Amino acid sequence: MQVEEARRLLAERLGGGPGPPSPESARAVTARLAHPDTLGPLVRRLSAGDLDLAECTRLSYRHVLGFDKLLLLAGAPRFMLRVHFWHGRTGPVPEDIHNHRCAIASAVVRGSVRMECYEPAADGVPATAYRETIDGPGGAWRLRRVGDARLRLLCTQRYGPGRSYGLAARTLHRVVSDEPTVTLFLETAPQRSVTDVYVRNSSHVTSTEARRSDSAVNGGTATDIGDDRGGDITTGGAERAGPPPKTPLPPAVYLAELDALASSLGY
């Protein structure tokens, strides 16, 4: 697929009306773009220089959770198409429960991810609630403590190659990958300026992890059952320090990862 063809497809499928795109429309177009025979040629063209390298690398970085976020196509404010490289190891802290500023979609290209969805509940596990803002595209995250909260696990889904999901902006969730994994990730038009972040109290994390592993379900699509987290959690509580600054990936690293992905897809 040509780069401009991919841009047109995203613009057409996400729509240009006053309302936000649905999680299902975001999921469907992401799944189509993630097909190896579509994504392979697209990534090969991008790795060969058919992109704004300075802009793409400025908005691509190593996430504190242990994966690389690479921007493929910038179409703000309507969309941002990224590829996430999970390297098969966890970051220094588990991903917090959070939601997004917009409807999002993700499709697994290789490897697998586990997604958990949550809702506020009086009988849920205790957590500390934060409100997150961001200083513009590529800017620093800022967290403000809101207070105490309780959350209940709704479901756990595992997604392998060819699987995809879409989430509404306010859906609370967290995603984990413990093996080398590549996902295609789509951000749609912002619906609000903040996100909600919940840090689970450490005394409840171990038992929750054990129950979660027993409830995993293979496959499926989690459309409508609902930006990325960073930073450190202090020992023994649910306090979160300020997230670390984003450091753009060097162009050589960015291009090497795209090249490796294109080659792995046969292009």
Side-chain angles (χ1 to χ4, degrees):
M1 176 174 282
Q2 301 288 337
V3 174
E4 288 307 313
E5 184 182 356
R7 290 185 181 277
R8 285 195 300 271
L9 179 65
L10 285 163
E12 291 169 1
R13 297 300 177 87
L14 297 178
S22 69
E24 171 56 24
S25 62
R27 185 207 64 78
V29 70
T30 304
R32 178 172 173 180
L33 290 171
H35 190 281
D37 289 340
T38 301
L39 185 62
L42 177 63
V43 171
R44 173 55 66 203
R45 289 185 174 90
L46 292 171
S47 70
D50 194 2
L51 50 67
D52 183 344
L53 184 59
E55 179 70 0
C56 285
T57 55
R58 183 179 72 83
L59 298 176
S60 301
Y61 51 92
R62 172 67 54 83
H63 198 281
V64 68
L65 296 176
F67 63 89
D68 291 347
K69 292 176 65 75
L70 275 66
L71 177 63
L72 296 183
L73 297 176
R78 298 178 68 184
F79 65 83
M80 299 282 274
L81 185 67
R82 303 178 184 273
V83 63
H84 290 179
F85 288 89
W86 304 76
H87 298 288
R89 60 183 183 277
T90 58
V93 295
E95 179 168 277
D96 295 329
I97 299 165
H98 64 282
N99 53 27
H100 288 262
R101 295 168 182 80
C102 60
I104 61 97
S106 183
V108 178
V109 180
R110 68 166 183 258
S112 67
V113 299
R114 184 182 69 247
M115 184 179 67
E116 305 163 1
C117 289
Y118 293 81
E119 67 176 359
D123 60 347
V125 298
T128 300
Y130 291 84
R131 185 62 52 82
E132 180 190 85
T133 58
I134 189 170
D135 295 337
W141 290 305
R142 300 188 184 279
L143 288 173
R144 177 177 63 85
R145 180 169 176 161
V146 175
D148 297 330
R150 286 183 174 271
L151 300 176
R152 176 172 59 206
L153 178 66
L154 285 174
C155 65
T156 300
Q157 296 280 344
R158 184 172 292 276
Y159 297 89
R163 299 285 185 175
S164 58
Y165 61 84
L167 295 178
R170 295 181 182 272
T171 302
L172 293 172
H173 64 285
R174 66 188 292 263
V175 178
V176 179
S177 180
D178 51 13
E179 63 176 300
T181 297
V182 177
T183 59
L184 190 65
F185 186 84
L186 177 65
E187 301 172 14
T188 63
Q191 300 175 31
R192 56 190 186 135
S193 61
V194 300
T195 59
D196 304 299
V197 181
Y198 294 87
V199 180
R200 293 175 297 174
N201 291 355
S202 59
S203 60
H204 292 263
V205 170
T206 300
S207 60
T208 301
E209 294 289 333
R211 291 195 300 272
R212 181 195 62 208
S213 64
D214 293 335
S215 64
V217 179
N218 289 324
T221 297
T223 300
D224 279 321
I225 56 174
D227 229 314
D228 303 297
R229 310 284 71 79
D232 298 323
I233 299 175
T234 58
T235 303
E239 297 296 326
R240 174 171 284 294
K246 299 176 183 177
T247 302
L249 288 177
V253 174
Y254 174 90
L255 291 173
E257 293 212 42
L258 289 189
D259 180 72
L261 175 57
S263 296
S264 72
L265 295 173
Y267 291 88

